Amino acid sequence: MMDFRSVLRVLKQENRLEILRSEITLEDEISEICLFENGAQNIRKKLYIGNIEEIISWIKAEADSPEKGAGLSAIIGIKERDFEDESVSRHLAYSLENGMISNYALIREEHTLKALHAVNNIMQKKLKTSYQVTELMALAMRGADLKSILKVSEKTLENPVIIIDAGFKILDVSSMEDIDDDIWKANIRRGYCSYEFIKEVHKIDQIRPFPHNSDVYEVNCSFSAYVKSCSKIFHKDRLVGYVIMLKKREIENALIEEYLPMVGSSVCEVLLRTKEHKGVFGSQEENLIHELIHGGDEELIKIRFKINQIELPEKMSCLMMKTNEYLNSIQATTFLKEQIKNILPGAFCLEEQGNLLVICRLSQDGRLTSEEERRLLGLFQQGVIHMGMSSPCTDIMALKDAYGQSAQLYKISKRLQIEKEIMYFSDYSFYIMLSNLNEKDLLQYVHPALNILRKYDQIHNGELYKTLQVLVDHQSQMVKTAEALSIHRNSLSYRINKIIELTGLDLSSNEDIFRLSYGFKVEKYCRVAV
């Protein structure tokens, strides 16, 4: 329930009891208090309180016994004249060396009764706190929501409780009624901690580093009316948020120190099973990018990027990857992330709705380098089934639209049956536009020449449709078109003349070429058989 060191700390800090000297060699849990009257029996997990004469008599008796003591913990009252007595020090040293006493503290003899009452109160409060902690954990395990956990916590701590994530976004508050601090009222309405608070926290962290565990510490900002008792929330050694108690009313430190970390543990259980809070379990960068792509507050996001010294590339893009079902495991996803970061140095990678989303740097032409593309294509052999790259962007707030673009490319890849290719939005934007239109109406806008050529090819087993398509794709350049079709230029001229004869097309007309270009794309999108 409580160790010896903690008992001494409470006695000194809360009961103002002077500890003359102490020796602690074994941190053992204490669950019971006993007066040292007739010696020590069944001493494990017991704390004995007595005077120095009784303790020394017991040490002498034990010294003559075949069996030595088993690690007694004791608070010992001593007279001032005995404090410097060499025989007293010798007996205590002997008891430590021989394992009779593991932990002891010397206090003034007149404070012995006060110590007994104080320790008894400590243990009673500890017992009550343990019960409250058990109730809280049971509530979380029974499936309570975040608000219920916080309301119970506020009732126990008698102060408002706020939960924020590692990026200073406010996830929930026990209740607004008891919060009269204008700064925190504004924070809660906005959904994020103020810039001043974030800056103050980072300033404190630089001067006096915060604990790397859930131990309670205090933040006292000059602009806020209340001291904040804080405890970090961890999941698998990763910081995911903070429990903050606004200290409006004085309560015992022992309760805060034990209960507040348990609030964090209970909150973590709730967040793990709540879909809308899945993002909090990523890194700080992942949390902020998650906020970006879901349209968080622009000003606060930029402040949080600056405070956390996170820099995104000047020209960047969203690359969305889909994987086979068998890769949907923590180990496989982690391995894939490592490979991506190796291929794309400086990239930010997070999981989003079952996909991997990568924020990566682009070259000046708005694409990946040929070497990066080559290495990424190798991932298709390792379970990746789709890669879609958004248009380039230079403003972090444009990443929301970029994410939407990359997500749309997967639908187009299925429609056009595109596999093992990095799809750039700029290459397929026309098809995405088509996907937002009624398919039944699209074909009426196709140039009639395509239908004429398709029917002619079906009857004569020809390739006029394909010839015209390649010619349009190569901007009417005869040499490149002939090379792409692997035919002689004279054969190409014959085919073009036949196309003009059948359709009446003017291949020098920019309007006809434009209509033919989008017509081929429409027929491809609508899966018109050629």
Side-chain angles (χ1 to χ4, degrees):
M1 291 178 59
M2 200 169 191
D3 59 50
F4 189 74
R5 193 185 304 273
S6 299
V7 170
L8 295 189
R9 187 177 71 250
V10 175
L11 287 176
K12 286 190 291 185
Q13 293 178 355
E14 297 188 10
N15 297 97
R16 303 289 187 267
L17 199 149
E18 183 184 5
I19 307 298
L20 301 174
R21 189 171 75 209
S22 64
E23 292 280 353
I24 301 174
T25 63
L26 178 66
E27 293 287 9
D28 202 3
E29 186 181 79
I30 295 168
S31 60
E32 190 178 344
I33 313 160
C34 299
L35 273 175
F36 198 95
E37 294 177 322
N38 299 312
Q41 296 178 345
N42 302 319
I43 62 176
R44 185 169 177 77
K45 295 190 177 183
K46 291 184 180 181
L47 171 61
Y48 285 90
I49 297 179
N51 61 49
I52 192 67
E53 291 86 359
E54 293 170 337
I55 296 292
I56 290 178
S57 296
W58 175 77
I59 292 171
K60 290 178 179 178
E62 287 290 299
D64 297 331
S65 173
E67 294 185 10
K68 299 291 189 295
L72 180 73
S73 291
I75 293 176
I76 307 167
I78 187 170
K79 294 183 176 68
E80 190 170 347
R81 67 173 183 272
D82 295 329
F83 186 65
E84 300 299 332
D85 191 326
E86 289 186 9
S87 65
V88 170
S89 297
R90 190 168 59 252
H91 279 99
L92 289 174
Y94 176 84
S95 68
L96 287 171
E97 290 171 7
N98 289 275
M100 289 185 252
I101 293 179
S102 295
N103 310 308
Y104 75 82
L106 298 181
I107 61 173
R108 298 187 185 280
E109 188 177 57
E110 58 268 27
H111 294 161
T112 306
L113 190 58
K114 180 181 178 181
L116 176 64
H117 288 308
V119 173
N120 185 60
N121 287 335
I122 292 169
M123 300 304 293
Q124 290 300 318
K125 290 171 184 175
K126 186 72 175 176
L127 186 62
K128 182 180 178 182
T129 301
S130 297
Y131 174 76
Q132 291 167 325
V133 166
T134 303
E135 287 264 287
L136 182 70
M137 296 301 290
L139 188 64
M141 298 305 291
R142 288 198 298 268
D145 61 14
L146 191 54
K147 183 66 75 177
S148 299
I149 295 292
L150 296 185
K151 281 187 174 296
V152 169
S153 301
E154 179 176 2
K155 184 178 179 182
T156 301
L157 294 169
E158 302 176 20
N159 284 291
V161 180
I162 300 166
I163 303 298
I164 65 174
D165 69 11
F168 297 95
K169 176 183 177 183
I170 295 175
L171 302 181
D172 212 338
V173 58
S174 56
S175 66
M176 284 291 291
E177 292 78 13
D178 201 27
I179 297 177
D180 52 13
D181 185 321
D182 290 339
I183 295 290
W184 278 96
K185 287 166 83 171
N187 287 345
I188 293 164
R189 280 195 299 269
R190 184 174 48 222
Y192 292 91
C193 296
S194 65
Y195 172 68
E196 291 79 12
F197 177 77
I198 298 172
K199 191 167 70 171
E200 193 71 25
V201 168
H202 279 266
K203 187 192 299 182
I204 294 170
D205 197 16
Q206 291 170 358
I207 298 171
R208 175 178 52 81
F210 292 166
H212 296 293
N213 52 34
S214 295
D215 289 351
V216 176
Y217 59 92
E218 289 189 343
V219 176
N220 191 2
C221 309
S222 58
F223 52 82
S224 179
Y226 304 113
V227 173
K228 273 72 66 180
S229 293
C230 305
S231 174
K232 293 181 177 181
I233 304 173
F234 289 93
H235 177 64
K236 296 182 178 178
D237 297 324
R238 172 176 281 179
L239 177 68
V240 298
Y242 303 83
V243 184
I244 300 174
M245 187 194 79
L246 299 185
K247 203 170 183 181
K248 290 185 62 178
R249 303 173 187 86
E250 285 297 325
I251 60 170
E252 294 171 2
N253 288 332
L255 175 61
I256 300 173
E257 289 172 3
E258 182 165 354
Y259 194 82
L260 213 58
M262 292 301 103
V263 175
S265 297
S266 301
V267 165
C268 191
E269 289 290 331
V270 175
L271 296 179
L272 281 168
R273 61 173 181 261
T274 311
K275 287 183 179 179
E276 61 263 35
H277 294 311
K278 288 294 184 184
V280 305
F281 295 99
S283 65
Q284 183 67 274
E285 293 88 350
E286 290 175 352
N287 288 334
L288 285 174
I289 292 171
H290 181 84
E291 291 291 323
L292 272 175
I293 63 177
H294 289 289
D297 184 278
E298 178 175 351
E299 181 185 356
L300 284 166
I301 286 176
K302 287 183 176 179
I303 288 171
R304 289 160 67 198
F305 266 92
K306 182 179 178 180
I307 284 286
N308 289 286
Q309 299 180 330
I310 300 170
E311 294 186 9
L312 293 177
E314 289 185 10
K315 181 176 283 190
M316 56 192 163
S317 177
C318 280
L319 169 63
M320 192 180 79
M321 292 187 179
K322 282 190 171 289
T323 60
N324 282 329
E325 289 184 4
Y326 75 84
L327 268 185
N328 293 335
S329 67
I330 294 174
Q331 293 83 359
T333 302
T334 301
F335 177 69
L336 187 57
K337 283 182 180 180
E338 291 172 355
Q339 288 186 295
I340 292 168
K341 289 184 177 181
N342 186 40
I343 297 169
L344 304 172
F348 297 91
C349 189
L350 69 150
E351 295 176 62
E352 179 62 28
Q353 297 181 356
N355 305 312
L356 278 179
L357 185 63
V358 184
I359 309 300
C360 56
R361 170 187 48 80
L362 297 178
S363 59
Q364 289 303 313
D365 63 358
R367 301 175 84 90
L368 298 171
T369 66
S370 56
E371 175 62 15
E372 289 170 339
E373 287 185 349
R374 184 190 67 78
R375 295 179 67 189
L376 282 175
L377 289 171
L379 299 180
F380 281 113
Q381 308 301 320
Q382 300 182 41
V384 174
I385 60 174
H386 167 75
M387 297 188 201
M389 182 79 74
S390 75
S391 297
C393 55
T394 55
D395 182 4
I396 63 173
M397 298 313 298
L399 284 174
K400 179 184 177 182
D401 291 335
Y403 169 63
Q405 289 179 355
S406 63
Q408 290 180 81
L409 285 168
Y410 179 66
K411 180 170 66 174
I412 299 303
S413 75
K414 301 295 287 182
R415 180 87 190 195
L416 303 181
Q417 298 180 326
I418 295 171
E419 296 179 349
K420 298 183 179 179
E421 176 185 318
I422 301 173
M423 296 177 66
Y424 286 88
F425 184 84
S426 56
D427 297 340
Y428 292 93
S429 57
F430 185 81
Y431 294 107
I432 290 172
M433 181 186 72
L434 295 182
S435 71
N436 295 315
L437 300 174
N438 188 330
E439 184 178 327
K440 291 181 180 179
D441 296 334
L442 289 175
L443 291 173
Q444 65 178 312
Y445 300 109
V446 174
H447 199 298
L450 301 189
N451 189 44
I452 294 170
L453 296 178
R454 188 169 51 255
K455 287 182 178 179
Y456 180 88
D457 287 342
Q458 289 171 353
I459 295 171
H460 299 90
N461 196 26
E463 294 190 9
L464 297 183
Y465 184 100
K466 180 181 179 183
T467 299
L468 181 59
Q469 185 178 25
V470 175
L471 182 71
V472 170
D473 287 345
H474 288 84
Q475 294 81 47
S476 299
Q477 297 180 54
M478 298 291 285
V479 174
K480 290 186 176 181
T481 302
E483 289 176 354
L485 291 168
S486 301
I487 61 174
H488 194 273
R489 186 170 177 178
N490 291 338
S491 298
L492 176 60
S493 296
Y494 170 79
R495 290 187 186 182
I496 291 173
N497 289 333
K498 188 66 176 177
I499 289 169
I500 294 171
E501 177 190 331
L502 290 169
T503 64
L505 282 169
D506 179 2
L507 295 179
S508 64
S509 166
N510 288 335
E511 180 64 26
D512 272 359
I513 293 297
F514 173 69
R515 289 184 65 194
L516 290 170
S517 178
Y518 77 68
F520 283 120
K521 286 181 166 65
V522 168
E523 291 202 341
K524 181 180 180 181
Y525 178 78
C526 294
R527 299 172 181 162
V528 175
V530 178

